[in-house]
């Protein structure tokens, strides 16, 4: 049988599980930086041109939604990585 684990990807998964705390911490730091940048830019003025102003507000709203989605994914992944295995 030709499966991914027989090709050596099992070693990659083992290595990732060894460093999962560092990976989680790095992801948290990146989320905090992105959240800070998103927060700072959200209250800046948009261009006076109506078309550019609408595009600016749409982009900011989309950026905020992507950040919230990323934070939710991070939260769920962290819960299922660290808390759920404690109860299994």
């Amino acid at each position: 049988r030709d499966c991914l684990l027989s090709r050596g990807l099992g070693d990659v998964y083992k290595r990732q599980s060894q460093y999962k705390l560092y990976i989680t911490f790095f992801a948290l730091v990146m989320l905090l930086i992105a959240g800070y940048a998103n927060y700072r830019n959200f209250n800046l003025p948009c261009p006076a041109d109506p078309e550019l102003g609408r595009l600016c507000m749409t982009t900011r709203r989309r950026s905020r939604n992507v950040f919230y989605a990323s934070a939710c994914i991070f939260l769920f992944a962290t819960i299922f990585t660290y808390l759920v295995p404690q109860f299994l």
Side-chain angles (χ1 to χ4, degrees), residues 1-7:
R1 288 177 76 154
D2 193 23
C3 70
L4 292 177
L5 294 178
S6 67
R7 291 185 192 169

Side-chain angles (χ1 to χ4, degrees), residues 40-88:
R40 286 211 48 208
N41 292 330
F42 189 72
N43 294 321
L44 292 178
C46 281
D49 184 329
E51 184 177 335
L52 290 177
R54 272 193 302 278
L55 183 63
C56 174
M57 290 306 293
T58 302
T59 304
R60 285 185 184 177
R61 195 175 311 112
R62 186 175 297 142
S63 175
R64 186 177 55 194
N65 290 337
V66 167
F67 172 74
Y68 288 152
S70 299
C72 287
I73 291 170
F74 174 79
L75 181 66
F76 285 123
T78 303
I79 288 170
F80 282 106
T81 300
Y82 297 106
L83 295 179
V84 170
Q86 300 286 332
F87 298 110
L88 294 179

Side-chain angles (χ1 to χ4, degrees), residues 3-34:
C3 70
L4 292 177
L5 294 178
S6 67
R7 291 185 192 169
L9 288 180
D11 295 334
V12 173
Y13 294 133
K14 288 178 189 175
R15 190 169 310 273
Q16 282 179 344
S17 68
Q18 289 175 346
Y19 297 111
K20 69 181 176 183
L21 189 62
Y22 298 114
I23 293 169
T24 303
F25 182 71
F26 178 74
L28 176 64
V29 169
M30 291 293 109
L31 268 176
L32 290 174
I33 291 170

